[in-house]
Amino acid sequence: MVSSKKAALSFIFITLLLDVIGIGIIIPVFPQLIENLIHGTISQASQWSGLLTFAYAVMQFIFAPVIGNLSDKYGRRPVLLLSLFGFGIDYIFLAFAPTIWWLFVGRIIAGIFGASITTATAYIADISTKEDRAQNFGLIGAAFGLGFVIGPALGGILGNWGPKVPFIAAAVLTLINVIYGYFVLPESLSKEHRREFDWSRANPLGSLMQLKKYKGVGGLIVAMIFIYIAGHALQSTWTFINIERFQWSTVLIGFSLATVGILIAIVQGGLIRYINPKLGNEKSIYIGLAMYALGLVLFAFADKSWMMFAILVPYCLGGIAGPALQAIISGNVPQNEQGELQGALTSLMSATSIVGPLLMTNLFAWFTGPKAPFQFSGAPFLAGAVLMLLSAWLSAKTMKKDAFINRK
């Protein structure tokens, strides 16, 4: 039993790691692939990238609760393997797409089946005891941190052999994981604990509507929306801006993203444990959001490559804000509603992934295109800084209320 549990946890860790590596491995070469398919400029490629992300995010928003409910009915194992297989097919479409529209087919497939992280999390919950649950869930953060260091760096190196090579590598890794899981992964959800599929519980808007109940923290939830959208200034345009501004190679893009992964791991995995207790939650929010805004403004006007690397330090220090904000929201919601709250916040994050990429990539495309009143590739960064400051203002306004019991 112990050996089987260890093998299952190892597989889940490898699954999440390969998922994140697969996502990261394609980032450095995605702009070049789109440029080749549309025979256009980097500005036009950024717009198509935003639309592709939009297609993926919409499908994931709609189907993630459906896939989750299917795993409650049929078990985690078949749904997890199916999700991984869907990702593998997506990477094959991306690698061999003859036109831009085939990229959309691949992204839609990935969005529909892209619930492997949700199902893997449920799997960990199934096989964990009260004593080791936190430790086992720590595997998720470890896989994300390690995967986002390895993936972009590997993608940048493989991109030297052509923009399609990283996609082929991602497909091979994912499909090998499917085969490995087929022979190694046991089912974690016994038949007596399964339930019938219920369409009303698979409604993606249902969990978002639950946020209406938390009126006291409504302002903080809106503040989180601003942070999530602002984050796409970096996530959705980093590669495009640095190619347009500094003519970065795929290797340098991969190295920069690996640096982001390392800095995030240092802040989230280490510094935050010391900084947050000393500052308290409320001050951590204000200082973190100020660091985010400062970093984004500096990114907007940086005119040397080394500056982009240096500015990553204050920007990533802004990561102390999110956990502090979540802690205050969570501390003002009853204990028996925590699961519902976290599920709703996850749906909210998915919804902002529909809006954020479109907004930021179109800002970049407009301000680097021929119709722009002036050329300014840093426009998405400035927009993100404004949203971060709005989030800080809204947080301060909301937390003036005496009802908040977990501010420090």
Side-chain angles (χ1 to χ4, degrees):
M1 179 69 73
V2 174
S3 176
S4 176
K5 182 177 176 180
K6 284 184 177 179
L9 282 172
S10 297
F11 174 79
I12 293 300
F13 176 78
I14 292 170
T15 293
L16 292 173
L17 179 62
L18 290 179
D19 267 7
V20 180
I21 289 175
I23 293 168
I25 206 172
I26 68 175
I27 294 174
V29 295
F30 210 42
Q32 186 182 350
L33 179 69
I34 297 173
E35 275 189 284
N36 290 347
L37 288 175
I38 65 171
H39 306 291
T41 65
I42 194 71
S43 299
Q44 293 167 328
S46 72
Q47 285 184 300
W48 283 102
S49 175
L51 290 170
L52 286 162
T53 306
F54 173 80
Y56 172 81
V58 168
M59 290 298 105
Q60 189 171 55
F61 179 70
I62 294 171
F63 285 94
V66 175
I67 296 293
N69 277 265
L70 286 173
S71 78
D72 286 339
K73 176 176 173 60
Y74 297 106
R76 316 296 185 207
R77 183 178 184 273
V79 172
L80 185 55
L81 294 177
L82 182 63
S83 294
L84 288 171
F85 183 75
F87 262 119
I89 297 301
D90 166 47
Y91 293 136
I92 291 172
F93 269 101
L94 296 179
F96 297 104
T99 67
I100 190 71
W101 301 110
W102 282 100
L103 293 190
F104 279 95
V105 174
R107 291 282 77 191
I108 288 169
I109 292 172
I112 292 172
F113 292 106
S116 57
I117 292 171
T118 302
T119 311
T121 304
Y123 192 103
I124 290 174
D126 291 340
I127 65 174
S128 298
T129 63
K130 187 183 293 185
E131 290 74 24
D132 64 9
R133 181 164 289 146
Q135 177 184 338
N136 291 343
F137 274 121
L139 290 173
I140 299 173
F144 266 81
L146 186 59
F148 208 74
V149 172
I150 296 172
L154 184 59
I157 294 168
L158 292 175
N160 284 326
W161 285 280
K164 295 186 177 183
V165 175
F167 295 94
I168 296 170
V172 170
L173 283 173
T174 305
L175 295 176
I176 286 174
N177 201 25
V178 174
I179 297 169
Y180 171 62
Y182 182 81
F183 291 104
V184 172
L185 187 69
E187 178 55 64
S188 66
L189 188 65
S190 58
K191 290 185 178 180
E192 58 267 24
H193 289 112
R194 298 180 190 182
R195 63 174 177 83
E196 289 301 310
F197 183 86
D198 184 354
W199 279 108
S200 64
R201 297 175 72 168
N203 174 14
L205 296 175
S207 58
L208 281 179
M209 297 303 290
Q210 294 300 318
L211 290 171
K212 284 185 175 180
K213 297 191 331 186
Y214 311 120
K215 294 181 180 178
V217 295
L220 296 185
I221 290 171
V222 175
M224 287 194 74
I225 292 174
F226 288 152
I227 293 172
Y228 287 147
I229 295 175
H232 280 283
L234 197 80
Q235 296 169 29
S236 299
T237 65
W238 179 261
T239 53
F240 295 97
I241 287 174
N242 286 306
I243 289 172
E244 191 273 343
R245 191 184 288 179
F246 305 116
Q247 294 77 52
W248 277 10
S249 66
T250 57
V251 173
L252 194 53
I253 291 169
F255 182 67
S256 71
L257 292 170
T259 303
V260 173
I262 292 169
L263 289 172
I264 289 174
I266 291 171
V267 173
Q268 300 284 348
L271 289 181
I272 200 168
R273 299 185 182 188
Y274 301 99
I275 294 174
N276 187 275
K278 290 185 177 181
L279 293 177
N281 287 327
E282 189 172 4
K283 286 184 179 177
S284 293
I285 291 171
Y286 301 145
I287 293 174
L289 290 174
M291 296 299 281
Y292 269 146
L294 173 64
L296 287 166
V297 171
L298 292 174
F299 281 140
F301 295 101
D303 59 1
K304 300 285 191 301
S305 281
W306 65 265
M307 292 180 180
M308 302 301 282
F309 282 89
I311 297 165
L312 283 172
V313 175
Y315 178 82
C316 289
L317 282 171
I320 65 174
L325 189 56
Q326 280 193 309
I328 292 181
I329 294 172
S330 178
N332 289 278
V333 170
Q335 186 66 34
N336 62 356
E337 295 181 13
Q338 291 295 321
E340 186 175 54
L341 169 68
Q342 297 306 321
L345 291 178
T346 301
S347 294
L348 186 67
M349 187 166 64
S350 298
T352 58
S353 294
I354 297 172
V355 177
L358 277 181
L359 172 64
M360 298 305 176
T361 55
N362 276 284
L363 271 175
F364 171 77
W366 171 256
F367 280 98
T368 56
K371 295 181 180 179
F374 54 90
Q375 294 289 302
F376 182 47
S377 61
F381 292 142
L382 273 191
V386 170
L387 288 171
M388 291 295 185
L389 293 174
L390 277 174
S391 179
W393 170 78
L394 190 54
S395 297
K397 182 181 178 182
T398 305
M399 284 190 289
K400 283 183 179 178
K401 299 174 185 177
D402 293 331
F404 287 96
I405 59 174
N406 187 28
R407 297 171 60 176
K408 304 299 183 186

